[in-house]
Amino acid sequence: MSEKTTSGSGGAGLSDSERLLFGGELAYDIGWDRHEGAWLRLGLWTMAKGLPRLVGTGVRLAHLADAHALRVVLGSEISRGISQAVGLVAVNGVLGHLLTDGTTKERLAGAVPALVVVALTALLGSLLRSASTAATGTLEPKVQRVATERYLGLVHRVELAAVEDDEFHRLLDAARYGADSARRMIRYCTNTLNSAISLIAAAGVLTILHPVLLPLLVLMTLPSAWSSLTISKQRYISFHAFVQHARAGHLLGQLLTQQEAAAEVRVHDVGPFLLGHFRNMAETSEREQTRLARRAARIGLIADGAGGVATLLTYGALGLLLWGGAMELAVAGTAVLAIRTGASSLDSLVLHITDLHQESLFVADYERLCREAEARAVPSGGEPLPERLREVHFEKVTFTYPGSGGEQPEPTLREVSLSFPMGKIIALVGENGSGKSTLVKLLAGLYLPDEGGGTIRWDDVDARTADRRQVFSRVALMSQNFFHWPFTFRVNVAIGESDRPIDDRAVEEAAAYSGADEVLAGLPRGLGTLLARGYRGGHQISGGQWQRVGIARAKYRKAEILIVDEPTSALDAVAEQRVFDQIRALAASTGQTIVLITHRLHSVRHADLIHVLKDGRVAESGTFAELMDEKTGTGTSATPTSCRPPRSTPPSRAVRRRPRRAARRGPHMTPADVLLLPATVPLFPGAVPLFPGDRHQWLHRDGAGLW
């Protein structure tokens, strides 16, 4: 690829680099993006109508967080508005005394009481503002904490199907932003309330001074309000036009610096290519910012011109009232102060309402998520499970994952009937996509069968009516991609039983059982070593070492049923055999039921019961010997993935060494002949091919392994 880039015209704000690299605009598919256009439809009348609802949302959140602090804010702001109105009336009294007949001493003496009131109202306003600021500062973090705790507390209890639902995740993204918005709404509500009360106070004083002055205030402030709203919209547009480029530029910066891409950046000389496209996007963004800035300047100029005309008309009207004797000079002076105060308050009110409305969109999403999470929560209570469980039985169970975009997906499991007897080692074997992982999620209570799609019974208790909390408590789950918690070694093991205090001795015993004690011995701070890269004191361990930690976690939980999904996928052959020996010993010593999921049949040859899945159905069930018996076995289990040797075994040894033994069974075969034999010619009686068309890999049905 060439590093040459072009700065095409294209759509506004979209660069040729984005078209080439990302196929278009690099926009996140997340919840809060859906509001990018909603705010632009906001008008002055819409703002006025929506103000009570917006303030009510902020007040409700604040009341949940700290009712006392909320009362302080409301009382302070209302008292501050009253004091401001009293102050304006007092100013009118001061001007009235100063502009009357008499000596200067007499006029000043007459104005002293009004001046004292002005000073007291100013002092009181300052104290009230400080009280409101302090209470608001107390409310903000509490509101964020309460909002965050509420949605996290609800989300962690929803059904797994909800967590895997794309639409629910988009709503969750918006709710995360909404918790932050809830905090900002408190300050915006306070500022909006302050501006509204100041505006009401100024308007009330003007109405008392002369009825004509209130329309003059509206006339003077409307252009300014229109300008504030329009320019705010332009800033919003500018931000969202820029943020797309910022995302793309940030991504290119990450690609240039991240460890995963470092080798190709150097070997393939990708740096100049990425830098060229970064420059192209930056220049496109600069042109967009310049265009929007000039447009905002034109809007501001038009608004200032209209505001100047309105100001001229307002003061002209005041002059006519003075000229005609309809208004005294002191009243005109007070009117000027009130008009300036009201205009400033209205400007601030428009800005605060626009901010408040924008944040309220995300708070509304937050509240919708909370309602959705409550509706989709795992039901509490239910029929208790038997204290001494005999088996879990699946009877004609069908399960279908929800589709997206209105499509009707095919069932993942189709009329599956099988049993999990307690105290045994049960293996689930099958290719990718056969339904193994889905089946154990049903066993663990994470999913329920489709409506009318069979039953899962814990002895005689139907999983649909069972207490799901009890189902969860009976199961320990170690999935193939189990979560690597960014915590200490101690917590990574003990988090499997997080509802009781951590027992270090039990942690060490679980580590010794899984082989993670060798990992622990190499950690600089022992159990207290942080297993998270990128943090001070953090330590990185390998995938195989993490797998041992995961097995230790499952062991520490001491659940009745231990589900292990591909437990040896990241281990070498020696460690793999050790893990399976430990799993067998665990079942023998504790009576724990072990459910193993694997692709390789030979790995679970010692299991008490093996269920072979294919295309979402149970193809075979039985012991390893029964499945391999050429008379009773169907051969379904002899699949490419189910019978291969461990990955760590060199292919040359797995393929070539044993065919030589087989070759000796055929009187006219050489090693070379063995490797070139067609799949239709068995090397010895009872052998079956692993791969259709494969010329050298065979499985002997006597269970001897791969030949």
Side-chain angles (χ1 to χ4, degrees), residues 576 599-603 637 639-647 649 654 690-691 694 697 699 706:
E576 177 187 51
H599 296 84
R600 298 193 286 260
L601 184 61
H602 80 93
S603 298
S637 55
T639 59
T641 55
S642 64
C643 304
R644 285 178 179 169
R647 290 186 306 180
T649 304
L690 290 179
F691 299 98
D694 193 296
Q697 292 193 33
L699 177 72
L706 187 67

Side-chain angles (χ1 to χ4, degrees), residues 342-405:
S344 175
S345 297
L346 185 57
D347 283 345
S348 299
L349 183 62
V350 170
L351 290 174
H352 296 322
I353 291 178
T354 55
D355 290 335
L356 189 60
H357 187 276
Q358 184 177 348
E359 301 299 342
S360 73
L361 294 171
F362 305 113
V363 173
D365 275 341
Y366 161 83
E367 293 181 333
R368 182 179 160 220
L369 171 81
C370 292
R371 292 193 300 271
E372 189 79 8
E374 288 174 347
R376 303 182 71 169
V378 174
S380 59
E383 192 175 351
L385 297 182
E387 202 168 311
R388 296 182 63 86
L389 186 66
R390 297 187 305 274
E391 71 169 9
V392 180
H393 181 68
F394 282 57
E395 184 175 349
K396 294 185 177 181
V397 170
T398 298
F399 177 79
T400 307
Y401 284 100
S404 59

Side-chain angles (χ1 to χ4, degrees), residues 85-333:
V86 172
L88 284 173
V89 174
V91 167
N92 181 61
V94 171
L95 293 176
H97 284 92
L98 293 177
L99 297 176
T100 56
D101 296 333
T103 64
T104 302
K105 185 176 181 179
E106 289 174 342
R107 285 182 289 175
L108 287 174
V112 166
L115 282 171
V116 171
V117 174
V118 171
L120 289 176
T121 55
L123 176 61
L124 181 60
S126 178
L127 293 174
L128 291 170
R129 182 172 59 248
S130 297
S132 177
T133 301
T136 301
T138 301
L139 271 175
E140 285 181 345
K142 288 186 176 182
V143 166
Q144 185 175 23
R145 173 184 58 79
V146 168
T148 304
E149 281 186 357
R150 183 188 175 203
Y151 92 80
L152 289 178
L154 290 170
V155 167
H156 90 270
R157 292 195 295 266
V158 300
E159 296 277 10
L160 183 62
V163 178
E164 295 174 345
D165 181 7
D166 290 341
E167 192 58 38
F168 186 83
H169 250 285
R170 292 189 184 97
L171 190 60
L172 181 59
D173 289 326
R176 290 192 185 103
Y177 195 81
D180 295 332
S181 294
R183 172 177 181 149
R184 289 188 290 270
M185 273 194 76
I186 300 305
R187 185 164 296 279
Y188 293 151
C189 278
T190 302
N191 293 337
T192 299
L193 189 61
N194 173 257
S195 298
I197 291 174
S198 296
L199 179 61
I200 292 170
V205 169
L206 287 174
T207 304
I208 293 172
L209 293 176
H210 199 288
V212 152
L213 296 178
L214 185 58
L216 292 177
L217 172 63
V218 174
L219 177 66
M220 184 176 175
T221 54
L222 269 179
S224 179
W226 173 82
S227 171
S228 297
L229 178 60
T230 307
I231 291 176
S232 294
K233 287 183 178 181
Q234 293 304 314
R235 288 173 181 168
Y236 183 80
I237 294 171
S238 176
F239 166 76
H240 281 286
F242 173 76
V243 76
Q244 310 296 343
H245 297 278
R247 291 169 184 164
H250 181 67
L251 176 59
L252 293 183
Q254 282 184 320
L255 294 174
L256 282 166
T257 58
Q258 70 183 14
Q259 181 180 357
E260 292 79 4
E264 287 199 38
V265 166
R266 285 150 181 78
V267 174
H268 297 169
D269 196 23
V270 180
F273 171 79
L274 296 179
L275 281 173
H277 285 291
F278 175 83
R279 186 182 308 110
N280 175 260
M281 285 184 283
E283 289 172 351
T284 304
S285 178
E286 290 167 7
R287 290 193 296 272
E288 179 73 2
Q289 293 299 300
T290 300
R291 184 183 68 83
L292 291 172
R294 290 174 178 172
R295 187 175 179 183
R298 289 196 298 271
I299 291 172
L301 186 61
I302 293 171
D304 289 343
V309 172
T311 301
L312 182 62
L313 292 175
T314 299
Y315 288 118
L318 282 175
L320 288 176
L321 290 173
L322 286 170
W323 181 269
M327 180 181 291
E328 296 180 359
L329 186 59
V331 174

Side-chain angles (χ1 to χ4, degrees), residues 311-613:
T311 301
L312 182 62
L313 292 175
T314 299
Y315 288 118
L318 282 175
L320 288 176
L321 290 173
L322 286 170
W323 181 269
M327 180 181 291
E328 296 180 359
L329 186 59
V331 174
T334 305
V336 170
L337 290 176
I339 288 173
R340 294 180 65 87
T341 300
S344 175
S345 297
L346 185 57
D347 283 345
S348 299
L349 183 62
V350 170
L351 290 174
H352 296 322
I353 291 178
T354 55
D355 290 335
L356 189 60
H357 187 276
Q358 184 177 348
E359 301 299 342
S360 73
L361 294 171
F362 305 113
V363 173
D365 275 341
Y366 161 83
E367 293 181 333
R368 182 179 160 220
L369 171 81
C370 292
R371 292 193 300 271
E372 189 79 8
E374 288 174 347
R376 303 182 71 169
V378 174
S380 59
E383 192 175 351
L385 297 182
E387 202 168 311
R388 296 182 63 86
L389 186 66
R390 297 187 305 274
E391 71 169 9
V392 180
H393 181 68
F394 282 57
E395 184 175 349
K396 294 185 177 181
V397 170
T398 298
F399 177 79
T400 307
Y401 284 100
S404 59
E407 62 183 19
Q408 295 294 327
E410 291 294 319
T412 304
L413 297 177
R414 300 171 183 268
E415 297 190 344
V416 171
S417 295
L418 49 78
S419 295
F420 294 91
M422 296 299 100
K424 304 292 184 180
I425 299 178
I426 303 105
L428 298 177
V429 180
E431 297 177 342
N432 286 333
S434 60
K436 304 185 303 297
S437 296
T438 301
L439 192 147
V440 295
K441 287 178 181 177
L442 285 160
L443 173 63
L446 295 172
Y447 296 137
L448 292 174
D450 293 345
E451 197 65 36
T455 57
I456 302 173
R457 294 191 177 277
W458 293 66
D459 282 351
D460 297 326
V461 179
D462 191 335
R464 292 185 187 277
T465 60
D467 186 337
R468 298 276 292 284
R469 305 290 176 189
Q470 288 193 25
V471 173
F472 296 151
S473 69
R474 299 288 183 98
V475 175
L477 177 63
M478 182 195 164
S479 60
Q480 184 174 357
N481 299 313
F482 68 94
F483 194 70
H484 301 174
W485 294 98
F487 304 140
T488 61
F489 183 96
R490 174 188 290 109
V491 175
N492 261 285
V493 174
I495 203 167
E497 194 74 26
S498 58
D499 58 347
R500 62 183 173 93
I502 297 176
D503 182 350
D504 282 357
R505 176 174 292 182
V507 170
E508 291 170 349
E509 289 175 354
Y513 171 83
S514 69
D517 53 341
E518 299 174 5
V519 181
L520 181 60
L523 297 178
R525 297 174 59 188
L527 293 174
T529 303
L530 176 63
L531 302 183
R533 185 181 179 185
Y535 299 95
R536 185 176 300 170
H539 192 82
Q540 184 178 12
I541 61 177
S542 68
Q545 290 174 323
W546 266 116
Q547 202 132 23
R548 296 179 187 183
V549 172
I551 295 172
R553 182 187 302 167
K555 172 67 167 65
Y556 184 89
R557 182 168 169 79
K558 297 178 180 178
E560 188 172 353
I561 301 173
L562 172 59
I563 300 172
V564 189
D565 190 351
E566 289 289 342
T568 60
S569 60
L571 301 181
D572 57 44
V574 176
E576 177 187 51
Q577 189 58 50
R578 177 182 177 180
V579 168
F580 279 112
D581 289 343
Q582 289 168 338
I583 291 173
R584 291 171 59 198
L586 179 64
S589 62
T590 65
Q592 192 172 26
T593 303
I594 311 293
V595 179
L596 295 173
I597 303 175
T598 183
H599 296 84
R600 298 193 286 260
L601 184 61
H602 80 93
S603 298
V604 292
R605 60 188 178 276
H606 297 295
D608 298 302
L609 178 61
I610 301 173
H611 298 298
V612 181
L613 274 72

